[in-house]
Amino acid sequence: MRAILAIDQGTTNSKAVLVSEKGEIVGRGSAPVGITYPKPGWVEQDPRRLYASVCEAIDACLKAAPDVIVEAVAISNQRESVTAWDAETGEALGPLVSWQCRRTAQDCERLIVEGHLDRVQALTGLPLDPMFPGSKFRWLLDRMPAGRSVRLGTVDSWLVHCLTGGRRHVCDASNAARSQLFDLQEQRWSKELGEIFGVDIALLPEVLDSSADFGRTQGLPGVPDGTPIMAAIGDSHAALFGHGAFKPGDGKVTFGTGSSIMTTLPRFIPPRNGVTTTVAWRLGGKPTFAFEGNILVCAASLPWMAGILGLSDVAALVELAASAEPGGPGFVPAFVGLGAPYWNSDARALFSQINFNTTRAQMARSVTDSIAFQVHDVIAAMRAQSGGELGALYVDGGPSQNRFLMQCVSNLIEHPVIQCEAPEASALGAAYLAGLSLGLWSDLHVIAELPRSSHIIDPEPVDRAVLLNTWSDALARSTSRETTANDE
């Protein structure tokens, strides 16, 4: 059997899956990445360990399906995380600065004070927030060893560099669109943006379509040298593509460490209301645009709360939460500030409206409900901006497999959600793009018709006004907290 090897490189794990010509997953493997927090608000990873985890995941995947012949490689990757390496030796020259990292918050504030916000948003569709890479690239450059020939890149470009033995310095348009250095409408790196952030755009990779020839493998264990890399795309974009969300208004929510909510657009629409505009994917030189809202902390709050309550695991936490009626205390998971649609780096995590009658189950419920509340606010902002109807809404990622959590989401947004049984939506999307390059699937219609196992969760009636009032009160307390000397 011949199959596409799809890499899904995430924040906490690297995964690899083998996808057959029928669109079926015939092999899986995964490996942990590792993440460190050197200072409050700082989040980083080792790019060498990241690539090693990819190799480990591939090894496990290939051992699970020893008779499969790898026809091509596809890449899906965590976005907004960036690093630097030596163009001549390939040596990593710094950490991988994570999308979660807030180390450049003051740099972003300075750029806002200098009056760059409107121009940056107009060109990139993104706000001036430390989540995005523009200021992170500058931070890396300020710490480069003297006399080194530097390359800068997103995770897909680092992986392509490693997979090809350093022969290619490329990325795809979806990853470029999240860099804050890419002009969305011109579809090219922007010299003006480079000057704003202090980044030489000549150090950045060549931008290709999401379905394109990214080079040939060299020295990848278990995969023959010369195997083509035929797709690369950001993981959230890949999930949208994997679900077949090709009609304007169709969308998806990916639940993970953080969360990404995307809806496909008929054309470029400038961002407002706290959501961003991005390139969903680019085919044949033509970009498909999407709205996106990035939630910084989603499922990451669940193991934290399980530990606080002395529970064995997240499953026990969700079971306890499900035993409580909605409408208890509020909880805002602003451990690293808040992302969309609020974009407040100074917000702090907190519980509100706790009293002597508050139970452990209610505390657990407030944490699980915070996932649904954040999704509600992003969807509301998108609806207000687009003026169009929300179409099919798919959910993926680990928490999406829990019926209770997804029912809470459906109830709050008053819209059905489509719960997909296969958790590898991002890997499938990357594989489908590679299949387009190879001619396995002729067009998007054929991909949309590939078999998918799913279950529709319809909304149930709840007292949304009361629930949202509690959430709004908690948000107000979280975002109005004054900075003290201890925060600095």
Side-chain angles (χ1 to χ4, degrees):
M1 178 188 296
R2 305 183 71 84
I4 296 168
L5 174 63
I7 298 164
D8 181 13
Q9 200 298 300
T11 306
T12 56
N13 293 284
S14 293
K15 300 177 183 178
V17 302
L18 288 164
V19 181
S20 73
E21 294 183 8
K22 296 180 180 180
E24 300 171 339
I25 294 176
V26 295
R28 294 177 171 89
S30 66
V33 180
I35 193 163
T36 58
Y37 307 89
K39 295 181 182 180
W42 288 37
V43 188
E44 65 186 40
Q45 296 175 293
D46 182 345
R48 295 161 296 187
R49 171 58 204 157
L50 183 144
Y51 180 60
S53 72
V54 167
C55 294
E56 292 166 10
I58 290 173
D59 180 63
C61 181
L62 295 177
K63 286 179 178 177
D67 297 329
V68 168
I69 298 173
V70 176
E71 189 164 2
V73 175
I75 297 170
S76 160
N77 62 277
Q78 59 166 302
R79 308 165 308 150
E80 293 106 19
S81 299
V82 295
T83 193
W85 60 95
D86 190 299
E88 298 176 356
T89 67
E91 175 190 1
L93 297 177
L96 184 85
V97 183
S98 171
W99 60 272
Q100 293 180 298
C101 190
R102 314 299 286 177
R103 72 186 64 190
T104 59
Q106 290 185 347
D107 297 316
C108 293
E109 288 297 328
R110 173 181 54 79
L111 292 171
I112 291 172
V113 170
E114 291 175 357
H116 296 297
L117 175 60
D118 289 345
R119 186 58 177 161
V120 169
Q121 284 189 310
L123 292 175
T124 70
L126 305 173
L128 275 168
D129 184 87
M131 173 182 173
F132 301 106
S135 57
K136 294 174 185 174
F137 279 132
R138 182 66 256 170
W139 187 94
L140 285 166
L141 287 173
D142 287 340
R143 288 154 182 82
M144 289 298 100
R148 305 296 285 268
S149 178
V150 176
R151 282 180 174 172
L152 298 173
T154 47
V155 171
D156 65 324
S157 56
W158 168 247
L159 290 181
V160 169
H161 163 81
C162 294
L163 291 167
T164 62
R167 288 170 171 78
R168 298 296 302 273
H169 186 41
V170 294
C171 73
D172 100 293
S174 73
N175 279 285
R178 308 302 292 177
S179 71
Q180 279 194 321
L181 296 170
F182 190 70
D183 186 320
L184 286 190
Q185 301 213 59
E186 295 292 330
Q187 289 292 293
R188 59 175 175 78
W189 298 120
S190 166
K191 183 178 179 181
E192 179 184 353
L193 290 167
E195 291 173 350
I196 289 173
F197 287 101
V199 176
D200 181 358
I201 61 173
L203 306 179
L204 298 168
E206 177 187 358
V207 181
L208 305 180
D209 285 348
S210 306
S211 178
D213 186 348
F214 286 81
R216 300 292 185 272
T217 60
Q218 182 70 37
L220 178 61
V223 177
D225 286 352
T227 301
I229 305 168
M230 300 305 289
I233 186 171
D235 51 9
S236 288
H237 314 250
L240 190 71
F241 196 90
H243 289 307
F246 302 140
K247 298 177 183 177
D250 286 352
K252 63 92 201 180
V253 185
T254 297
F255 294 93
T257 303
S259 186
S260 166
I261 303 163
M262 300 183 80
T263 55
T264 311
L265 296 174
R267 64 189 184 284
F268 175 82
I269 300 176
R272 58 182 177 85
N273 296 335
V275 298
T276 65
T277 303
T278 193
V279 174
W281 49 78
R282 196 174 79 184
L283 300 174
K286 181 180 179 180
T288 293
F289 293 102
F291 279 151
E292 180 168 17
N294 300 101
I295 296 169
L296 301 183
V297 175
C298 179
S301 62
L302 302 182
W304 170 81
M305 192 59 186
I308 293 292
L309 294 177
L311 299 171
S312 58
D313 53 26
V314 168
L317 175 76
V318 175
E319 182 179 359
L320 179 62
S323 71
E325 293 296 324
F331 172 69
V332 181
F335 295 96
V336 289
L338 288 170
Y342 330 100
W343 297 113
N344 190 321
S345 295
D346 295 325
R348 295 292 183 268
L350 57 77
F351 289 93
S352 68
Q353 301 189 31
I354 297 172
N355 56 52
F356 284 122
N357 294 319
T358 300
T359 67
R360 294 171 75 249
Q362 288 175 322
M363 296 287 285
R365 179 70 187 251
S366 69
V367 172
T368 59
D369 279 353
S370 71
I371 294 173
F373 284 127
Q374 292 183 100
V375 172
H376 167 273
D377 288 359
V378 172
I379 292 290
M382 289 180 173
R383 282 169 159 167
Q385 182 172 348
S386 69
E389 292 295 322
L390 183 62
L393 184 65
Y394 302 89
V395 293
D396 61 75
S400 73
Q401 300 304 297
N402 186 279
R403 172 63 185 249
F404 167 72
L405 294 177
M406 295 304 101
Q407 187 68 65
C408 292
V409 170
S410 179
N411 294 348
L412 272 178
I413 66 174
E414 297 183 293
H415 191 85
V417 300
I418 304 172
Q419 190 180 37
C420 301
E421 294 182 9
E424 299 92 351
S426 293
L428 284 169
Y432 294 160
L433 285 162
L436 280 178
S437 296
L438 295 171
L440 295 182
W441 302 296
S442 58
D443 54 33
L444 299 187
H445 176 74
V446 172
I447 291 174
E449 294 300 315
L450 289 172
R452 295 171 175 85
S453 297
S454 61
H455 176 73
I456 297 176
I457 299 177
D458 290 311
E460 297 173 344
V462 294
D463 194 338
R464 295 174 67 256
V466 170
L467 299 179
L468 291 171
N469 281 340
T470 301
W471 168 247
S472 297
D473 173 73
L475 267 181
R477 295 173 188 273
S478 171
T479 56
S480 66
R481 182 177 181 275
E482 294 183 1
T483 302
T484 70
N486 291 331
D487 297 323
E488 296 175 349

